[in-house]
């Protein structure tokens, strides 16, 4: 184990439980590009098209979005991506009782696919695998059900109950985060004695504020991320490595009972 990983183990072993905060970097090893990288989504589409204002006012934007979901471009119900060793390592930490919860900016559902219960994950930016009505009825469906309607010829599907627009539960620019999800994330943060940040540049707010709230109480932060983050100065330890290689080592060290000694 290299020295930085050893330092991270020592920091995290000193507290009963930690918050885990994840971003796009944990999923890149599953084949999902990040948003801002050289192969990211913003190199292929205009980020301004992902505002709630454009979505509700432009049928063309909605039709394009559903086509992209249908083609798997937005990692919805049709994409065959699998959790990687980084996701699995977090499940090991959770099952060992070392984690208060996983707060994620990701919308891919890979934490649950790896084995975390829904109540162990706070998806701040929603999930591409479910669709909700934007009208008063607020009905929700699996994304796959709506994609079947798109395949059948509904280019811009609406709610069958009230006729309102529908969209995936992902949070677009200009939308507020779910108050219930944010409150649950803050509860996980309040119960943590440290925070482990994985694959996030900590540049998107208010999401990053959940991780920062742990540090503001005087608790340590460990960052595992390829490249710098906006808050490296606050980290007790920063590891520039892929999540899929660093997290299994961390998890094993933090979940393996110390060897007993005989007299």
């Amino acid at each position: 184990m290299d020295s930085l990983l050893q330092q991270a183990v020592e920091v995290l072993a000193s507290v009963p439980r930690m918050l885990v905060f994840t971003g796009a970097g944990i999923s890149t090893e599953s084949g999902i590009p990040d948003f801002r990288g050289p192969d990211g989504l913003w190199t292929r589409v205009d980020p301004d098209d992902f505002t709630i204002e454009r979505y509700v006012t432009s049928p063309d934007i909605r039709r394009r979005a559903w086509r992209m979901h249908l083609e798997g471009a937005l990692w919805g119900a049709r994409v065959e991506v699998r959790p990687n060793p980084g996701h699995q390592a977090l499940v090991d930490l959770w099952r060992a009782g070392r984690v208060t919860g996983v707060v994620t900016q990701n919308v891919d559902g890979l934490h649950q696919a790896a084995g975390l219960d829904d109540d162990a994950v706070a998806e701040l930016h929603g999930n591409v695998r479910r669709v909700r009505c934007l009208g008063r009825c607020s009905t929700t469906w699996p994304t796959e059900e709506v994609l079947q309607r798109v395949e059948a010829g509904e280019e811009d599907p609406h709610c069958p109950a009230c006729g309102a627009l529908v969209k995936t539960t992902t949070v677009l620019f200009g939308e507020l985060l779910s108050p219930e999800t944010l409150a649950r994330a803050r509860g996980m943060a309040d119960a943590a004695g440290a925070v482990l940040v994985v694959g996030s540049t900590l540049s998107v707010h208010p999401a990053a504020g959940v991780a920062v709230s742990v540090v503001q109480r005087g608790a340590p932060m460990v960052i595992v991320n390829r490249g710098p983050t906006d808050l490296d100065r606050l980290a007790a330890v920063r590891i520039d490595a892929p999540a899929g290689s660093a997290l299994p080592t961390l998890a094993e060290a933090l979940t393996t009972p110390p060897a007993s000694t005989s007299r």
Side-chain angles (χ1 to χ4, degrees):
M1 184 184 303
D2 71 28
S3 60
L4 285 177
L5 277 170
Q6 183 60 48
Q7 290 176 42
V9 169
E10 292 170 1
V11 168
L12 297 176
S14 67
V15 301
R17 294 194 299 165
M18 73 192 87
L19 173 74
V20 177
F21 183 88
T22 68
I26 195 173
S27 293
T28 54
E29 292 168 80
S30 291
I32 298 178
D34 60 19
F35 288 89
R36 296 172 178 81
D39 297 316
L41 182 63
W42 299 153
T43 65
R44 291 178 279 118
V45 298
D46 183 352
D48 289 341
D49 287 345
F50 286 76
T51 64
I52 186 62
E53 181 180 5
R54 285 200 182 183
Y55 187 86
V56 299
T57 59
S58 172
D60 286 340
I61 292 292
R62 294 194 298 273
R63 285 192 288 265
R64 183 183 180 197
W66 290 117
R67 283 197 304 271
M68 291 178 73
H69 280 292
L70 198 62
E71 295 164 359
L74 297 179
W75 318 301
R78 297 290 175 87
V79 176
E80 294 297 325
V81 292
R82 296 288 181 265
N84 63 61
H87 295 102
Q88 300 292 350
L90 296 183
V91 175
D92 293 340
L93 287 168
W94 167 257
R95 290 175 176 167
R98 296 305 313 274
V99 173
T100 61
V102 175
V103 176
T104 186
Q105 299 168 276
N106 298 341
V107 298
D108 51 42
L110 289 180
H111 287 303
Q112 293 92 324
L116 287 179
D117 296 336
D118 283 339
D119 61 5
V121 184
E123 296 175 304
L124 293 178
H125 295 159
N127 192 304
V128 292
R129 299 184 186 279
R130 291 202 68 82
V131 169
R132 67 180 174 89
C133 170
L134 297 183
R136 292 183 178 181
C137 78
S138 299
T139 304
T140 66
W141 312 266
T143 301
E144 175 61 25
E145 291 185 11
V146 178
L147 292 184
Q148 289 174 10
R149 292 169 54 190
V150 176
E151 280 186 315
E154 290 186 66
E155 294 184 328
D156 182 16
H158 285 53
C159 176
C162 70
L165 297 177
V166 299
K167 65 178 285 293
T168 60
T169 61
T170 52
V171 177
L172 297 178
F173 295 120
E175 280 191 285
L176 297 176
L177 303 187
S178 159
E180 295 81 5
T181 303
L182 190 56
R184 200 155 59 84
R186 286 171 173 162
M188 294 172 178
D190 290 344
V195 55
L196 172 61
V197 175
V198 183
S200 173
T201 59
L202 294 169
S203 60
V204 177
H205 295 271
V210 176
V212 173
S213 70
V214 181
V215 182
Q216 288 174 333
R217 289 190 282 104
M221 176 167 65
V222 171
I223 297 176
V224 177
N225 189 65
R226 296 303 303 269
T229 79
D230 283 8
L231 299 178
D232 284 350
R233 66 189 183 280
L234 300 180
V237 183
R238 199 188 89 76
I239 299 169
D240 192 329
S245 60
L247 292 188
T249 302
L250 277 177
E252 182 178 7
L254 292 169
T255 58
T256 302
S260 60
T261 58
S262 59
R263 292 177 179 265

